[in-house]
């Protein structure tokens, strides 16, 4: 199996598809549980249900946080409901990302059980892509860029408060975006044609405006007034 680098563009596109198609996402923050219910047949199960039966969730799931498991063709996301709510939220988004990115959950489960030497590399790739998917889903890059264009200062505290994520998730988002992207180049690239990201900005225009209202320039004001005057003259 050839080792491949994480596909950030694919993960971002899959997240944008969910942002655009999910009727349950109308603003930020939103309910990831509602999105998973609407956009998939994944079952969510808290650790407490496993432990309530006298079993060890850690041993069954293989994680202290969350994991997605395939059993007889059914995907299930197990999550630690004792974790802080914002961490649970991101964990669910991360596991949902595995499914949306088309990760072969059954394969890595088999590889883990078999002690396959290729497991670590493939698992690491999947983890990075799922993390990036969740970050894009909860804190879309295109919306962040639009807010910066409107003069909004973007930092970890702003992301945490505005998008309803943990400070840790906001911190990782800032580091990842700075590392992976050159925002100025991506702004120029988008001028060549519309992308899914452009449609994301359009869908959430009301949210963007509520956070950072568009500042009207003198030129814009003059042109609008001139157009209205021409229209009024047409009434006479």
């Amino acid at each position: 199996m050839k080792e491949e680098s994480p596909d950030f563009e694919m993960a971002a596109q899959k997240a944008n598809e969910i942002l655009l198609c999910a009727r349950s996402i109308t603003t930020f923050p939103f309910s990831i549980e509602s999105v998973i219910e609407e956009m998939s047949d994944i079952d969510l199960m808290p650790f407490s249900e496993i432990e309530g039966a006298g079993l060890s969730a850690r041993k069954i799931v293989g994680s202290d946080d969350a994991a997605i498991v395939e059993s007889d063709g059914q995907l299930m996301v197990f999550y630690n409901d004792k974790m802080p709510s914002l961490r649970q939220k991101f964990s669910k988004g991360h596991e949902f990302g595995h499914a949306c990115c088309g990760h072969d959950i059954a394969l890595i489960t088999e590889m883990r059980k078999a002690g396959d030497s290729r497991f670590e590399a493939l698992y690491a790739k999947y983890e990075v892509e799922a993390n990036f998917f969740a970050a894009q889903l909860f804190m879309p890059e295109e919306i962040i860029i639009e807010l910066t264009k409107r003069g909004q200062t973007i930092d970890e505290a702003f992301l945490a408060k505005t998008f309803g994520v943990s400070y840790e998730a906001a911190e990782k988002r800032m580091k990842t975006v700075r590392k992976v992207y050159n925002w100025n180049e991506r702004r120029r690239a988008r001028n060549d044609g519309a992308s899914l990201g452009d449609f994301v900005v359009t869908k959430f225009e009301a949210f963007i405006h509520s956070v950072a209202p568009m500042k009207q320039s003198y030129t814009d004001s003059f042109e609008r007034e001139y157009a209205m005057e021409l229209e009024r003259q047409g009434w006479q």
Side-chain angles (χ1 to χ4, degrees):
M1 182 180 296
K2 181 181 177 181
E3 292 187 14
E4 299 179 1
S5 299
D7 191 340
F8 294 104
E9 290 291 345
M10 176 277 294
Q13 179 170 318
K14 294 299 181 181
N16 282 344
E17 290 174 359
I18 297 297
L19 287 167
L20 290 171
C21 296
R23 294 185 300 275
S24 51
I25 306 179
T26 59
T27 188
F28 298 88
F30 57 84
S31 166
I32 185 61
E33 294 84 3
S34 296
V35 174
I36 292 174
E37 180 179 4
E38 176 191 352
M39 302 300 293
S40 74
D41 60 356
I42 295 173
D43 289 333
L44 293 172
M45 180 172 289
F47 279 15
S48 59
E49 287 195 25
I50 300 174
E51 294 165 348
L55 303 173
S56 169
R58 174 67 179 84
K59 289 183 179 180
I60 293 176
V61 177
S63 170
D64 291 320
D65 198 348
I68 186 168
V69 177
E70 182 176 342
S71 178
D72 296 326
Q74 175 63 45
L75 289 175
M76 299 186 68
V77 168
F78 295 91
Y79 64 96
N80 189 342
D81 47 331
K82 292 181 180 178
M83 290 288 186
S85 60
L86 292 181
R87 179 161 179 170
Q88 291 182 49
K89 172 183 175 179
F90 196 89
S91 294
K92 292 171 186 175
H94 170 99
E95 302 305 334
F96 180 48
H98 282 302
C100 292
C101 290
H103 294 164
D104 194 333
I105 307 303
L107 174 61
I108 61 172
T109 299
E110 292 174 4
M111 290 171 68
R112 178 193 282 120
K113 290 180 179 179
D116 194 311
S117 60
R118 300 168 296 175
F119 166 75
E120 292 294 340
L122 181 61
Y123 180 72
K125 175 181 182 293
Y126 280 1
E127 284 294 283
V128 171
E129 290 176 349
N131 267 334
F132 199 79
F133 169 92
Q136 174 67 13
L137 186 68
F138 293 127
M139 299 165 278
E141 173 209 356
E142 292 80 7
I143 291 180
I144 294 174
I145 290 176
E146 182 63 25
L147 291 172
T148 64
K149 289 164 64 176
R150 296 187 178 204
Q152 177 65 53
T153 299
I154 307 296
D155 59 18
E156 290 79 359
F158 171 82
L159 291 182
K161 180 180 179 180
T162 304
F163 292 96
V165 298
S166 68
Y167 189 88
E168 179 184 10
E171 188 175 37
K172 290 181 179 179
R173 180 57 165 159
M174 290 297 295
K175 288 181 179 179
T176 302
V177 170
R178 289 166 180 155
K179 179 180 179 180
V180 175
Y181 293 109
N182 182 319
W183 285 2
N184 289 327
E185 289 183 2
R186 289 172 69 80
R187 283 196 198 99
R188 287 194 294 271
R190 287 198 180 89
N191 290 332
D192 296 334
S195 67
L196 284 181
D198 295 315
F199 295 125
V200 168
V201 170
T202 299
K203 177 177 178 179
F204 298 103
E205 186 174 359
F207 165 77
I208 294 170
H209 187 73
S210 70
V211 175
M214 182 71 77
K215 295 180 180 178
Q216 187 180 43
S217 69
Y218 174 80
T219 301
D220 291 339
S221 178
F222 175 80
E223 291 178 348
R224 184 175 289 102
E225 183 60 34
Y226 180 68
M228 291 177 65
E229 178 59 28
L230 290 178
E231 184 177 354
R232 284 193 291 267
Q233 291 177 8
W235 297 344
Q236 298 175 358

